């Protein structure tokens, strides 16, 4: 079946602009994560959804970042007033259900965001 | 807070040989999971191997095996019979062991770039 997909693959924007990054999780997966991977670093947690609600947004760096998942499937990460420091690869991952940590997180290919 | 450290930014190995990637972590948790992920140039993170902390037996998956030393908080990855397709970034990751609606987020190290030479 289809894996996690993310669009766009690459996004170039100018400082101060607004961007939206989309994630399509694996069908039926109720848990969805966003991570940010800066150059030369490992991914860092941003936000976790269980169904439609953001169960943990403790990783969002500031209030310019926001994410939604209105119907419990597709999620959109929104960044307002982008800054050059927001340049990174944004990864989305999904996993099934509420079961314990042995549920593997399946990652998408990421969106590379470049802020000029 | 949990931290994961990978002290080898880059490694190189000849095709068909064996290589070991190092990972150490710091936590006060007793129940957790450890993972190795592979990230090729396509950027897609692929799970290589998983270890539950309560299991003493080291996990193995075909050519991949781990050396899990819980007391030392060490979790190294051994790749046997290295293949050209193993060339990638490898990330070590930690996850608390929680059920129900807990976040179960992954905490990653900074990665090791492995190059398999023909």
């Amino acid at each position: 079946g289809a894996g996690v997909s993310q669009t766009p693959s690459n996004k170039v924007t100018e400082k101060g602009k607004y961007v939206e990054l989309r994630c399509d999780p694996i069908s039926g997966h109720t848990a969805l994560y966003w991570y940010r991977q800066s150059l030369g670093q490992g991914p860092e947690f941003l936000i976790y959804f269980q169904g439609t609600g953001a169960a943990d947004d403790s990783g969002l760096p500031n209030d310019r970042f926001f994410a939604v998942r209105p119907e419990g499937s597709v999620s959109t990460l929104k960044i307002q007033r982008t800054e050059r420091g927001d340049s990174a690869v944004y990864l989305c991952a999904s996993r099934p259900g509420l079961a314990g940590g042995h549920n593997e997180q399946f990652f998408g290919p990421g969106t590379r965001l470049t802020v000029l | 807070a949990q931290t994961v450290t990978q002290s080898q930014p880059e490694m190189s190995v000849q095709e068909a040989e064996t290589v070991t990637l190092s990972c150490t972590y710091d936590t006060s948790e007793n129940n957790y999971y450890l993972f190795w992920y592979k990230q090729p140039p396509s950027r897609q993170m692929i799970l290589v191997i998983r270890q539950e902390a309560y299991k003493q037996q080291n996990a193995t998956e075909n050519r991949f095996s781990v050396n899990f030393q819980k007391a030392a908080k060490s979790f190294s990855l051994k790749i046997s019979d290295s293949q050209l397709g193993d060339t990638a970034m490898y990330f070590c990751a930690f996850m608390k062991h929680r059920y129900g609606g807990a976040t179960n987020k992954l905490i990653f190290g900074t990665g090791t770039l492995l190059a398999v030479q023909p």
Side-chain angles (χ1 to χ4, degrees):
Chain A
V4 178
S5 63
Q6 292 186 245
T7 54
S9 178
N10 292 282
K11 175 71 176 178
V12 180
T13 191
E14 293 180 344
K15 180 175 178 296
K17 298 289 189 182
Y18 168 83
V19 296
E20 290 189 351
L21 312 179
R22 176 187 168 109
C23 171
D24 263 286
I26 293 172
S27 178
H29 281 194
T30 59
L32 185 146
Y33 300 80
W34 284 97
Y35 293 86
R36 180 168 71 173
Q37 186 175 17
S38 300
L39 190 63
Q41 301 295 317
E44 293 179 312
F45 169 77
L46 293 177
I47 188 168
Y48 159 64
F49 286 89
Q50 184 56 247
T52 60
D56 183 350
D57 64 358
S58 62
L60 294 178
N62 52 60
D63 61 5
R64 296 186 298 105
F65 288 75
F66 189 71
V68 295
R69 195 185 184 199
E71 298 178 359
S73 55
V74 170
S75 177
T76 304
L77 179 65
K78 308 180 180 195
I79 310 174
Q80 299 177 320
R81 305 183 305 280
T82 52
E83 300 177 357
R84 293 195 179 87
D86 299 335
S87 296
V89 173
Y90 289 82
L91 296 167
C92 177
S94 70
R95 67 169 172 82
L98 291 173
H102 60 278
N103 275 156
E104 177 183 349
Q105 292 185 24
F106 295 85
F107 282 82
T111 294
R112 181 181 299 281
L113 175 66
T114 303
V115 182
L116 301 176
Chain B
Q2 290 76 31
T3 58
V4 177
T5 302
Q6 293 180 251
S7 58
Q8 305 155 313
E10 296 183 23
M11 295 279 286
S12 181
V13 64
Q14 292 295 124
E15 198 174 4
E17 293 190 347
T18 295
V19 64
T20 298
L21 308 183
S22 301
C23 173
T24 58
Y25 59 95
D26 190 22
T27 185
S28 58
E29 300 281 330
N30 193 45
N31 295 321
Y32 50 88
Y33 293 88
L34 294 164
F35 305 84
W36 278 98
Y37 279 87
K38 170 184 178 180
Q39 188 179 41
S42 66
R43 300 197 303 247
Q44 189 119 23
M45 298 286 276
I46 301 164
L47 179 63
V48 174
I49 198 164
R50 163 178 44 223
Q51 174 80 41
E52 292 90 338
Y54 67 88
K55 289 188 177 178
Q56 293 186 340
Q57 186 173 5
N58 289 324
T60 62
E61 287 286 343
N62 301 313
R63 298 183 294 107
F64 299 87
S65 62
V66 299
N67 183 2
F68 173 49
Q69 302 289 327
K70 190 173 184 179
K73 296 179 181 173
S74 170
F75 183 62
S76 61
L77 174 70
K78 185 170 84 170
I79 306 174
S80 304
D81 186 25
S82 297
Q83 300 176 0
L84 296 177
D86 295 334
T87 294
M89 280 290 289
Y90 286 81
F91 290 95
C92 179
F94 170 99
M95 178 194 292
K96 291 181 188 178
H97 184 186
R98 295 286 188 272
Y99 287 97
T103 302
N104 292 326
K105 65 185 177 186
L106 290 162
I107 299 170
F108 289 87
T110 52
T112 296
L113 179 60
L114 176 67
V116 180
Q117 308 292 343

